[in-house]
Amino acid sequence: MEVNYINEMKEELAKQLIELQQQSYRIEANLINYPNIPPLNETVADLLREPKTWLTASSDNHIIGAIAIETRADHWLLNKVIVSPRFFRRGVGRMLIQKVKEETSVPLYVTTASHNTPAVKLYESEGFTQFKHERTTDGLLLRTFVYRKEPGP
């Protein structure tokens, strides 16, 4: 498996990511019974405009997982964590999260639906702790987690 940081989004890559995002988030939408997950409405043009850094995992020259990262001076935000359904539960998301954790010294935040049990378990197993619990205006329960790197010796 090859892991790469993408700092500049190109149209062909955006097309691949939108396809992967659609596959992954459709399953999440069904899992949490919430069809209005915002990434399902995003377009290639949206990804080309977003000022995010992406970390991708590829196998046989196909992207099988990706994380969109918003980096700020005092924290980073995992904006999207997506994995091809063909590679669910094979460690792709975990490996990408671990790579981001290695790279940052500031707190790392991620938000997911409270009923997305696989994601909640993954974040908790990677040392994230619940930071915030909230409900959207249309009733979706969200949990925000934070990971703080242990200070070194």
Side-chain angles (χ1 to χ4, degrees):
M1 190 172 347
E2 186 178 326
V3 177
N4 291 298
Y5 273 99
I6 310 295
N7 294 310
E8 184 182 351
M9 184 61 66
K10 304 281 188 196
E11 187 167 351
E12 185 56 39
L13 177 61
K15 287 178 183 176
Q16 291 176 47
L17 289 170
I18 284 291
E19 182 179 330
L20 180 65
Q21 188 170 290
Q22 290 287 318
Q23 294 169 11
S24 183
Y25 280 106
R26 264 190 242 117
I27 290 174
E28 182 178 350
N30 289 334
L31 177 70
I32 65 172
N33 195 29
Y34 186 79
N36 299 322
I37 295 175
L40 287 175
N41 298 317
E42 288 182 333
T43 65
V44 168
D46 293 330
L47 288 192
L48 290 170
R49 281 191 302 270
E50 290 180 350
K52 294 178 177 56
T53 298
W54 286 80
L55 180 63
T56 62
S58 300
S59 178
D60 297 325
N61 294 318
H62 291 91
I63 296 174
I64 60 171
I67 292 181
I69 310 159
E70 288 183 45
T71 58
R72 299 180 184 156
D74 62 344
H75 71 279
W76 286 10
L77 175 65
L78 297 182
N79 185 266
K80 296 175 190 164
V81 179
I82 53 179
V83 175
S84 166
R86 291 181 35 232
F87 289 88
F88 280 0
R89 301 206 194 335
R90 293 194 191 174
V92 175
R94 181 177 305 279
M95 188 244 346
L96 289 168
I97 289 167
Q98 288 172 348
K99 181 71 173 163
V100 175
K101 285 170 41 181
E102 290 171 10
E103 301 288 327
T104 186
S105 59
V106 296
L108 182 60
Y109 293 87
V110 63
T111 299
T112 191
S114 293
H115 291 96
N116 186 347
T117 305
V120 168
K121 287 181 178 179
L122 173 62
Y123 300 136
E124 290 175 340
S125 74
E126 281 299 317
F128 286 77
T129 57
Q130 186 170 306
F131 174 75
K132 181 170 54 171
H133 200 202
E134 61 190 331
R135 185 181 301 271
T136 64
T137 55
D138 60 355
L140 181 65
L141 289 171
L142 297 175
R143 290 174 71 178
T144 298
F145 294 89
V146 62
Y147 172 81
R148 289 184 172 88
K149 192 175 270 189
E150 295 290 326

